[in-house]
Amino acid sequence: MDRERTHEYSPYDDTETCPHMERCEHTDKTAYKEEMAAEIAVPVSGLNRSSRSREESARATRSAGKAAGWTGLIIAIMSWFVWPVLLGISAAFIGFVAFRQGSRGLGIWSITLGLIAATSYLVLIPLYYALT
Protein backbone atom coordinates (compact mmCIF):
# COMPACT_ATOMS: atom_id res chain seq x y z
CA MET A 1 0.00 0.00 0.00
CA ASP A 2 1.68 3.14 -1.20
CA ARG A 3 0.64 6.26 0.68
CA GLU A 4 2.03 9.58 1.71
CA ARG A 5 3.02 9.92 5.30
CA THR A 6 2.28 13.44 6.39
CA HIS A 7 2.49 12.57 10.03
CA GLU A 8 5.28 10.97 11.98
CA TYR A 9 5.30 7.16 11.91
CA SER A 10 3.97 5.53 15.04
CA PRO A 11 4.42 1.86 15.90
CA TYR A 12 0.81 1.95 17.07
CA ASP A 13 -0.48 3.00 13.65
CA ASP A 14 -3.07 0.41 12.72
CA THR A 15 -4.23 1.83 9.39
CA GLU A 16 -2.74 -0.95 7.25
CA THR A 17 -4.45 -3.77 9.13
CA CYS A 18 -7.62 -1.83 9.95
CA PRO A 19 -8.69 0.11 6.85
CA HIS A 20 -11.55 1.79 8.70
CA MET A 21 -8.99 3.77 10.73
CA GLU A 22 -8.14 6.04 7.77
CA ARG A 23 -11.76 7.00 7.24
CA CYS A 24 -12.16 8.07 10.84
CA GLU A 25 -10.41 11.41 11.06
CA HIS A 26 -11.67 12.08 14.56
CA THR A 27 -10.10 8.92 15.96
CA ASP A 28 -6.91 9.32 17.91
CA LYS A 29 -4.65 6.75 16.30
CA THR A 30 -2.19 6.79 19.17
CA ALA A 31 -4.89 5.79 21.66
CA TYR A 32 -4.55 2.13 20.76
CA LYS A 33 -1.51 1.20 22.78
CA GLU A 34 -2.51 -2.20 24.13
CA GLU A 35 0.15 -4.56 25.35
CA MET A 36 -0.78 -8.01 24.16
CA ALA A 37 2.15 -9.83 25.73
CA ALA A 38 0.91 -9.00 29.22
CA GLU A 39 -1.73 -11.69 28.87
CA ILE A 40 0.92 -14.33 28.30
CA ALA A 41 3.74 -13.09 30.53
CA VAL A 42 4.42 -14.56 33.95
CA PRO A 43 3.18 -12.21 36.67
CA VAL A 44 5.79 -10.55 38.83
CA SER A 45 4.31 -11.98 42.01
CA GLY A 46 4.00 -15.45 40.49
CA LEU A 47 5.25 -17.27 43.57
CA ASN A 48 2.71 -15.62 45.84
CA ARG A 49 -0.10 -16.43 43.46
CA SER A 50 0.85 -20.08 43.17
CA SER A 51 1.06 -20.54 46.94
CA ARG A 52 -2.21 -18.64 47.33
CA SER A 53 -3.88 -20.81 44.71
CA ARG A 54 -2.55 -23.92 46.48
CA GLU A 55 -4.04 -22.68 49.75
CA GLU A 56 -7.37 -21.97 48.05
CA SER A 57 -7.29 -25.41 46.45
CA ALA A 58 -6.53 -27.08 49.77
CA ARG A 59 -9.33 -25.11 51.45
CA ALA A 60 -11.78 -26.16 48.75
CA THR A 61 -10.71 -29.79 49.09
CA ARG A 62 -11.18 -29.68 52.87
CA SER A 63 -14.59 -28.11 52.40
CA ALA A 64 -15.57 -30.80 49.92
CA GLY A 65 -14.23 -33.41 52.35
CA LYS A 66 -16.42 -32.07 55.15
CA ALA A 67 -19.47 -32.10 52.91
CA ALA A 68 -18.72 -35.66 51.80
CA GLY A 69 -18.07 -36.66 55.42
CA TRP A 70 -21.39 -35.32 56.68
CA THR A 71 -23.22 -36.87 53.71
CA GLY A 72 -21.56 -40.22 54.38
CA LEU A 73 -22.41 -40.04 58.07
CA ILE A 74 -26.07 -39.27 57.38
CA ILE A 75 -26.26 -42.13 54.88
CA ALA A 76 -24.52 -44.44 57.39
CA ILE A 77 -27.09 -43.60 60.07
CA MET A 78 -29.90 -44.12 57.57
CA SER A 79 -28.40 -47.52 56.68
CA TRP A 80 -29.14 -48.74 60.21
CA PHE A 81 -32.87 -48.35 59.51
CA VAL A 82 -33.41 -48.64 55.74
CA TRP A 83 -31.58 -50.74 53.08
CA PRO A 84 -28.54 -51.62 55.19
CA VAL A 85 -26.49 -53.23 52.43
CA LEU A 86 -27.02 -50.58 49.74
CA LEU A 87 -26.77 -47.55 52.02
CA GLY A 88 -24.04 -49.10 54.21
CA ILE A 89 -21.72 -49.75 51.28
CA SER A 90 -22.53 -46.32 49.83
CA ALA A 91 -21.75 -44.68 53.17
CA ALA A 92 -18.45 -46.58 53.37
CA PHE A 93 -17.48 -45.40 49.88
CA ILE A 94 -18.45 -41.78 50.56
CA GLY A 95 -16.62 -42.00 53.90
CA PHE A 96 -13.50 -43.18 52.08
CA VAL A 97 -13.75 -40.22 49.71
CA ALA A 98 -14.13 -37.88 52.70
CA PHE A 99 -11.15 -39.51 54.40
CA ARG A 100 -9.01 -39.00 51.30
CA GLN A 101 -10.08 -35.34 51.06
CA GLY A 102 -8.94 -34.56 54.58
CA SER A 103 -12.04 -35.04 56.72
CA ARG A 104 -10.57 -37.99 58.57
CA GLY A 105 -12.91 -38.22 61.56
CA LEU A 106 -16.16 -38.02 59.60
CA GLY A 107 -14.74 -40.41 57.01
CA ILE A 108 -13.81 -43.05 59.58
CA TRP A 109 -17.20 -42.79 61.30
CA SER A 110 -19.00 -43.11 57.97
CA ILE A 111 -16.93 -46.12 56.93
CA THR A 112 -17.33 -47.84 60.30
CA LEU A 113 -21.08 -47.31 60.71
CA GLY A 114 -21.79 -48.19 57.08
CA LEU A 115 -19.78 -51.41 57.15
CA ILE A 116 -21.26 -52.44 60.51
CA ALA A 117 -24.78 -51.96 59.13
CA ALA A 118 -24.03 -53.93 55.94
CA THR A 119 -22.20 -56.82 57.62
CA SER A 120 -24.68 -57.13 60.47
CA TYR A 121 -27.52 -57.39 57.98
CA LEU A 122 -25.67 -59.97 55.91
CA VAL A 123 -24.81 -62.03 59.05
CA LEU A 124 -27.90 -61.59 61.22
CA ILE A 125 -30.64 -62.08 58.61
CA PRO A 126 -29.45 -65.58 57.56
CA LEU A 127 -29.11 -66.48 61.28
CA TYR A 128 -32.63 -65.26 61.92
CA TYR A 129 -34.05 -67.39 59.12
CA ALA A 130 -31.91 -70.39 60.14
CA LEU A 131 -33.16 -70.27 63.74
CA THR A 132 -36.85 -69.82 62.94
Side-chain angles (χ1 to χ4, degrees):
M1 180 183 233
D2 193 25
R3 65 178 185 187
E4 269 183 47
R5 294 193 187 243
T6 57
H7 63 282
E8 186 178 320
Y9 174 73
S10 170
Y12 307 109
D13 187 9
D14 223 11
T15 54
E16 290 181 12
T17 57
C18 283
H20 73 280
M21 291 289 289
E22 273 190 34
R23 288 178 289 186
C24 301
E25 294 300 323
H26 65 280
T27 306
D28 182 17
K29 294 177 183 173
T30 61
Y32 298 100
K33 296 182 181 180
E34 289 88 12
E35 176 71 34
M36 295 299 183
E39 298 171 355
I40 302 170
V42 177
V44 175
S45 62
L47 296 176
N48 294 338
R49 282 190 178 182
S50 65
S51 65
R52 190 176 344 164
S53 65
R54 277 190 226 132
E55 291 172 5
E56 290 174 4
S57 175
R59 188 177 317 126
T61 302
R62 282 192 301 268
S63 176
K66 285 182 183 179
W70 282 111
T71 303
L73 188 62
I74 290 170
I75 292 174
I77 292 171
M78 287 174 46
S79 72
W80 282 72
F81 303 106
V82 183
W83 302 325
V85 176
L86 179 68
L87 291 181
I89 293 172
S90 298
F93 178 74
I94 294 171
F96 178 74
V97 170
F99 182 83
R100 293 280 298 181
Q101 289 182 343
S103 184
R104 306 233 186 267
L106 288 171
I108 289 173
W109 275 103
S110 300
I111 292 169
T112 305
L113 291 176
L115 290 179
I116 288 174
T119 55
S120 66
Y121 181 81
L122 292 174
V123 170
L124 293 179
I125 293 301
L127 283 176
Y128 174 76
Y129 285 119
L131 297 176
T132 57

